[in-house]
Amino acid sequence: MNILVTGGAGYIGSHTVLELLTSGHNVVVLDNLCNASAESLKRVEQLTGKAVTFYKADIRDRAALDKVFKSHRIDAVIHFAGLKAVGESVAKPLDYYSVNVGGSVVLAQAMAQAGVTKLIFSSSATVYGEDAPVPYKETMPRGKTSNPYGTSKAMIEQILTDISIADPQWSVVLLRYFNPVGAHPSGQIGEDPQGIPNNLMPFIAQVAVGRRECLSIFGDDYDTEDGTCERDYVHVVDLAKGHVSALQATERSGTHIYNLGTGTGTSVKQMVEAFERVTGVTIPYQIAPRRAGDLPAFWADASKAGKELGWCAELGIEDMMRDTWRWQQNNPTGYSR
Ligand code: NAD
Ligand code: UFG
């Protein structure tokens, strides 16, 4: 298939582009590089020996999107482009609604005009909300989100669902990611956050490589086994393969929702211990106050993706640690943009 990947230069996007190319698909990427480097795509081309057509453009730029759809016969779109920092979304809600919601609307309009009606969207476990029981199942209703980032994801899910109800030609696949971590086993592509990392795994990696002194663990008094929060960490290569598998769901009209997780929760302390065990590097840490908005523990019921897409996560916590460390050691300052 010919696939347009928005946000394809980013962390999950670049890994997905690689898996699409190795599965025989052709890929066009549109990304404004506000949180990525074109170097990621160069490396994907080197690793696969295949070319990626790249457009540097904003997802809200309708003329740019029209040009892409006129220049290529696109069969399906995988839509990653968006802003993703939870804390920043509280400070800059308009940016998040403009890029995430506005950008998705402009994309859907351009698709409709071009007659492209297959769309896979990057959603998040955060749409289950604050009060959902674990494990999260796709049959549960969306819950109360606690920040504009999460609300933008819930809004986009609703907008895309409404489009597929209004026009039965559309097929919308909502992929709800749990906590993506790790890097490609080549050590050539990985996560490259700007500034101080918000997320646990890149923070641990930067402490290990000497860029940060000490990890703060946000709270050890939760009602969990060791008192620290538990999450469902999923290897980014498994997640990327989940998108290739999800293409088959775009053959069915309507909206299809899938959790992409492993089905297992791991605590912050267990993550630190696993990193130390796999790499032999000690991670100094201190216990800090709880971070506002953190939930104690959640993980996926990932059985629907297994049954309907034949997808399940194959890589474990030790693979995530080993591959993160290889990427971080090979690229101590990321893509150095
Ligand atoms: P990322 O920031 O690495 O990738 C997003 C990409 O979108 C970047 O390459 C960025 O340059 C691009 N982009 C941002 N705004 C744009 C705009 N206005 N126009 C064009 N391109 C734009 O993030 P990621 O971790 O790869 O996340 C990809 C998607 O998955 C996002 O939609 C994110 O919300 C979603 N998601 C991520 C996580 C996670 O923990 N990483 C969890 C759940 C969902
Ligand atoms: N944590 C620390 N120290 C850090 C960073 C994180 O202790 O320096 C802890 C957090 O408190 C949390 C756990 O590590 O308990 C995981 O935190 P992350 O920030 O890595 O991930 P979150 O679960 O908070 O967020 C992720 C995605 C969001 C998504 C959210 C809910 O990054 O996009 O899951 O699905 F919205």
Side-chain angles (χ1 to χ4, degrees):
M1 292 171 83
N2 296 327
I3 317 283
L4 170 63
V5 181
T6 76
Y11 173 46
I12 306 170
S14 56
H15 288 81
T16 302
V17 170
L18 188 151
E19 296 301 330
L20 287 166
L21 291 172
T22 54
S23 307
H25 299 286
N26 301 312
V27 178
V28 175
V29 168
L30 181 142
D31 195 305
N32 70 353
L33 301 181
C34 73
N35 195 37
S37 161
E39 175 66 18
S40 66
L41 294 176
K42 288 202 192 105
R43 295 190 184 181
V44 167
E45 290 186 322
Q46 282 161 10
L47 287 165
T48 59
K50 295 188 179 177
V52 176
T53 308
F54 175 60
Y55 291 85
K56 182 171 185 284
D58 194 293
I59 190 67
R60 295 163 294 179
D61 181 345
R62 177 64 192 272
L65 284 168
D66 287 345
K67 186 175 166 213
V68 171
F69 287 115
K70 279 206 182 94
S71 310
H72 306 272
R73 196 184 55 78
I74 300 294
D75 298 306
V77 177
I78 304 182
H79 178 34
F80 293 103
L83 304 176
K84 64 163 185 176
V86 173
E88 185 187 59
S89 79
V90 177
K92 298 178 179 173
L94 267 180
D95 287 358
Y96 278 68
Y97 292 121
S98 172
V99 173
N100 293 4
V101 180
S104 299
V105 170
V106 174
L107 173 65
Q109 286 170 330
M111 288 175 65
Q113 175 155 320
V116 179
T117 53
K118 296 176 193 304
L119 176 61
I120 296 177
F121 173 62
S122 298
S123 190
S124 165
T126 197
V127 302
Y128 287 103
E130 296 165 1
D131 302 317
V134 288
Y136 294 168
K137 292 186 193 356
E138 294 90 342
T139 46
M140 292 173 178
R142 282 191 295 269
K144 186 179 170 300
T145 47
S146 56
N147 55 74
Y149 168 74
T151 307
S152 77
K153 291 291 176 190
M155 289 167 80
I156 299 163
E157 284 202 353
Q158 188 61 55
I159 291 166
L160 299 179
T161 302
D162 290 343
I163 294 171
S164 79
I165 291 169
D167 182 349
Q169 291 208 335
W170 276 77
S171 171
V172 168
V173 182
L174 306 176
L175 298 181
R176 293 178 177 165
Y177 311 154
F178 282 69
N179 286 58
V181 298
H184 191 261
S186 64
Q188 291 297 303
I189 56 169
E191 189 169 12
D192 180 19
Q194 286 179 29
I196 301 170
N198 296 310
N199 299 113
L200 178 64
M201 198 65 241
F203 205 106
I204 290 176
Q206 290 195 7
V207 171
V209 84
R211 278 175 71 181
R212 317 260 159 220
E213 257 177 34
C214 174
L215 171 73
S216 292
I217 294 184
F218 299 136
D220 68 349
D221 56 353
Y222 286 96
D223 184 15
T224 58
E225 215 162 287
D226 65 19
T228 64
C229 294
E230 294 171 5
R231 294 289 181 270
D232 184 342
Y233 296 94
V234 55
H235 197 295
V236 68
V237 171
D238 277 329
L239 192 68
K241 289 180 176 170
H243 293 72
V244 180
S245 301
L247 283 171
Q248 60 191 282
T250 65
E251 298 303 327
R252 292 180 277 130
S253 68
T255 292
H256 311 288
I257 305 177
Y258 298 100
N259 287 338
L260 295 184
T262 65
T264 308
T266 304
S267 76
V268 177
K269 277 191 177 164
Q270 286 170 334
M271 290 292 279
V272 173
E273 284 157 16
F275 187 89
E276 291 181 333
R277 192 169 62 245
V278 169
T279 65
V281 180
T282 302
I283 302 297
Y285 70 81
Q286 60 186 12
I287 304 300
R290 290 181 176 198
R291 186 171 68 175
D294 273 344
L295 297 177
F298 63 84
W299 55 88
D301 178 333
S303 56
K304 187 179 175 203
K307 277 189 214 112
E308 294 188 10
L309 304 177
W311 176 88
C312 71
E314 288 170 355
L315 300 165
I317 293 288
E318 303 214 335
D319 302 300
M320 300 175 204
M321 300 303 163
R322 189 197 58 226
D323 294 334
T324 300
W325 186 223
R326 188 184 294 112
W327 155 252
Q328 187 69 68
Q329 277 186 303
N330 288 354
N331 308 272
T333 56
Y335 295 114
S336 301
R337 55 178 180 270

